[in-house]
Amino acid sequence: MRATLLSTLTSLTVTIAALVSPVLHASGMGKVDLVVITKSESSMALLRDGKIIKQYRIAMGDLPAGHKLKEGDQRTPQGRYTLDYKKPDSAYYKSIHISYPNEEDKLRAKALGIRPGGMIMIHGQNPKSPLPPEQAQQYNWTDGCIAITNAEMDEVWKVVDEGTPIEIWP
C-alpha cells in the first residue's frame, strides 16, 4: 500500500512538473534566453546560456539589407529588441511581436520627418501562398517581418517566452 501510494505520488509529481516546468516541453529543446537573427545569412538561431539550440532559415522583406528606417521600406530592423507578445490568431499563422520601434528608432524617424513603421513579427507562412513552405522560404516575401514555416513556428512558440530578447544583426 505504502509503495503504491509513493509510486502514485511520484508519478503525479513528474506529471505536474512536466506541465508547469519551463524546461520540459514536447520539443525537447527547453526554453531559450536569446533569439539571434543574422540577416546576411537568412538565419534565426535560438540560444540558451550562449549556446545555439536550433537554427532556422528565414524569409524577410523584399529589401532586407540595412536597418529599417520608415514604414513600408520592406526592411527588417537591426539592433536589440524584445519579443514582447504572442499573437495566436495572426494572419500569417502564429506570430511573436518584436518591440520595434525602440526609442532610438522613434527619435531617428522624428528627426527625418518620417514614420518608423511597426508591427514587425516573427511569424509562420502566408495561408494564401500557392508555394509549399520549403519553397516559399527561398524568397524574401514579407513586408519586413521574419518568416519561418508553420511547423517551425510551432517549435519556436513553445520555447520562446514573452520578454525574450532578440538581436537582429546585418
Side-chain angles (χ1 to χ4, degrees):
M1 171 80 173
R2 186 176 177 149
T4 303
L5 181 58
L6 184 57
S7 175
T8 302
L9 282 174
T10 302
S11 177
L12 183 59
T13 301
V14 169
T15 301
I16 291 171
L19 292 172
V20 299
S21 173
V23 177
L24 300 175
H25 287 275
S27 69
M29 279 192 271
K31 293 291 183 175
V32 301
D33 55 28
L34 178 64
V35 176
V36 175
I37 305 296
T38 307
K39 291 168 50 173
S40 62
E41 297 175 6
S42 297
S43 74
M44 177 172 69
L46 305 181
L47 289 84
R48 183 177 49 247
D49 299 325
K51 293 183 174 87
I52 295 174
I53 304 302
K54 183 102 185 231
Q55 284 190 285
Y56 302 92
R57 175 162 174 71
I58 62 169
M60 294 171 282
D62 290 336
L63 302 170
H67 180 58
K68 182 169 193 60
L69 292 176
K70 63 180 183 175
E71 188 172 51
D73 66 7
Q74 302 293 305
R75 291 185 176 163
T76 302
Q78 294 173 183
R80 187 169 174 95
Y81 299 93
T82 301
L83 296 168
D84 54 1
Y85 67 86
K86 292 181 172 183
K87 187 168 172 42
D89 60 344
S90 171
Y92 297 103
Y93 194 58
K94 297 174 181 174
S95 63
I96 304 174
H97 184 259
I98 298 169
S99 64
Y100 173 87
N102 61 23
E103 288 307 311
E104 183 180 331
D105 299 318
K106 290 174 189 174
L107 287 171
R108 183 184 305 110
K110 185 175 181 179
L112 295 171
I114 56 178
R115 295 174 56 165
M119 294 307 289
I120 304 296
M121 310 267 198
I122 298 172
H123 60 68
Q125 295 302 126
N126 180 349
K128 297 176 183 168
S129 175
L131 300 174
E134 294 73 23
Q135 190 175 357
Q137 286 307 101
Q138 302 305 310
Y139 303 98
N140 285 324
W141 57 268
T142 77
D143 289 332
C145 291
I146 297 159
I148 53 181
T149 69
N150 291 352
E152 292 167 340
M153 192 65 208
D154 284 337
E155 287 180 354
V156 170
W157 191 266
K158 291 175 188 173
V159 300
V160 172
D161 283 336
E162 292 174 359
T164 300
I166 180 170
E167 295 178 2
I168 306 172
W169 300 346

